[in-house]
Amino acid sequence: MTARTIWRDSEFIAWDDATVHVLSQSLQRGSLAFDYLSVHATGRGIAVFRLRDHVERLAVTCEIVGLPLDYAVDELVDACAETVRRNPGAKSVKISALIPSIEAELVPQDPRVSVFIAAYDGDRDIIGRNRGRSHRRTELSLKIEREKRNRRDDIIPPHAKVAANYTAAMTAKWRARQEGFDDIVLLDEDGWVTEAPTANLFLVDASGGLATPPANKVLLGITRASIIELASRIGRRCEERDISVDELRRAPEAFLTGTSEGVWPALRIDGEPVGDGNVGSVTARVRETYRAVVRGEEPAFEHWLHYV
Ligand code: PMP
């Protein structure tokens, strides 16, 4: 039991009451659309990073999957802000849109979509309660995954944050964890590098420029978009282009980006050191810049913070 309160379809309910039936359509068919946001303590108060962009991405996911979302983006933005206000100490927000009805077949007869918004501290409210230990690492050992591919455009494009898109990657990442790696890099059908299961990937090339796989191959990460924009601020070029496994393995620096950690330097790939095996200077600069932005210390990027 936790005192956390969860927004469900315009009302607040207790954490333990935010449940669905075991036979619900979304649980059985993986049709749950979601988004995950970060909350930061800044000099001007508590802020959610790029709140509207995340809610807009949720709306895109619902559209791709065909979930009829009954709420306007503005309503969900306000609901997220209110949920954060009511849950002091929250570090993340998860917004889920799902079909709760019990269905006998694949296509739901009652496709009403229910939206849940939870704001919490993952370590305290979830991992601690599960009596588990967080696998959080600030620096990573990556494995290039060669059996499971990234999601295919002709099935569900990588732009949808829908539960079913994560099953293959979960299996592969779970196995990699048992082998001692922290995370995996997924390839596309042609063997090009794409992204990690829940993070985008960047490399730093020999001339100090950044490169990241193109937008059609990956989830359009909000952190990825932010880093692309911040690159010019720190005097670096950033290209969105195909990256081969070979180029990644030879890169002097590489890092993952995502809402939960921001920028994660990769120190090893397939057991071999990246560069000299330490956090590279460009990666460190990108990470510092991003951290300053989310803490509200970069006035030029203040508009990315939604104060609650
Ligand atoms: N790729 C995938 C497949 C993801 O699930 C995530 C996490 N949302 C990311 C990349 C990183 O996206 P963001 O920076 O918006 O967290």
Side-chain angles (χ1 to χ4, degrees), residues 10 23 26 43 48 81 91 113 125 132 174 185 189 229 249 271 304:
S10 303
L23 297 178
S26 281
V48 180
K91 296 192 171 143
V113 170
D125 298 318
W174 201 338
V185 176
E189 289 299 291
E229 218 173 312
R249 294 183 64 147
W304 282 348

Side-chain angles (χ1 to χ4, degrees), residues 34-38 49 54 57 150-151 158-162 165-166 169 186 195-201 218-226 257-262 264 290:
F34 68 102
D35 220 287
Y36 180 71
L37 303 80
S38 57
F49 188 61
H54 279 279
R57 186 171 67 182
N150 199 38
R151 303 168 292 280
H159 308 127
K161 275 187 82 66
V162 58
N165 254 355
Y166 289 82
L186 294 156
E195 60 184 333
T198 59
N200 292 110
L201 178 128
V218 297
L219 181 85
L220 296 174
I222 308 290
T223 323
R224 174 184 181 277
S226 307
T257 65
T259 293
S260 49
E261 282 302 316
W264 287 272
Y290 176 81

Side-chain angles (χ1 to χ4, degrees), residues 48-76:
V48 180
F49 188 61
R50 302 192 72 167
L51 172 52
R52 171 171 286 275
D53 295 321
H54 279 279
V55 173
E56 283 174 355
R57 186 171 67 182
L58 176 83
V60 169
T61 297
C62 289
E63 209 176 303
I64 293 172
V65 177
L67 295 187
L69 186 63
D70 264 350
Y71 298 95
V73 166
D74 280 339
E75 286 175 284
L76 294 178

Side-chain angles (χ1 to χ4, degrees), residues 121-138:
D121 172 341
D123 285 342
R124 213 189 61 196
D125 298 318
I126 300 181
I127 293 173
R129 274 167 217 282
N130 290 344
R131 291 194 203 86
R133 268 192 304 127
S134 165
H135 183 91
R136 182 159 304 144
R137 303 274 186 274
T138 45

Side-chain angles (χ1 to χ4, degrees), residues 124-196:
R124 213 189 61 196
D125 298 318
I126 300 181
I127 293 173
R129 274 167 217 282
N130 290 344
R131 291 194 203 86
R133 268 192 304 127
S134 165
H135 183 91
R136 182 159 304 144
R137 303 274 186 274
T138 45
E139 289 144 15
L140 303 173
S141 165
L142 302 181
K143 174 192 174 186
I144 297 178
E145 169 57 41
R146 290 164 192 284
E147 286 169 28
K148 301 268 190 266
R149 298 287 149 173
N150 199 38
R151 303 168 292 280
R152 276 173 37 185
D153 219 45
D154 59 344
I155 303 174
I156 292 279
H159 308 127
K161 275 187 82 66
V162 58
N165 254 355
Y166 289 82
T167 315
M170 176 198 76
T171 310
K173 180 162 167 172
W174 201 338
R175 194 177 52 208
R177 282 275 173 87
Q178 285 157 358
E179 293 166 3
F181 296 96
D182 301 314
D183 214 328
I184 59 174
V185 176
L186 294 156
L187 307 180
D188 72 5
E189 289 299 291
D190 301 315
W192 297 102
V193 166
T194 62
E195 60 184 333

Side-chain angles (χ1 to χ4, degrees), residues 72-94:
V73 166
D74 280 339
E75 286 175 284
L76 294 178
V77 165
D78 290 347
C80 287
E82 179 61 20
T83 308
V84 171
R85 271 195 292 276
R86 289 190 186 215
N87 287 281
K91 296 192 171 143
S92 342
V93 176
K94 188 166 246 185

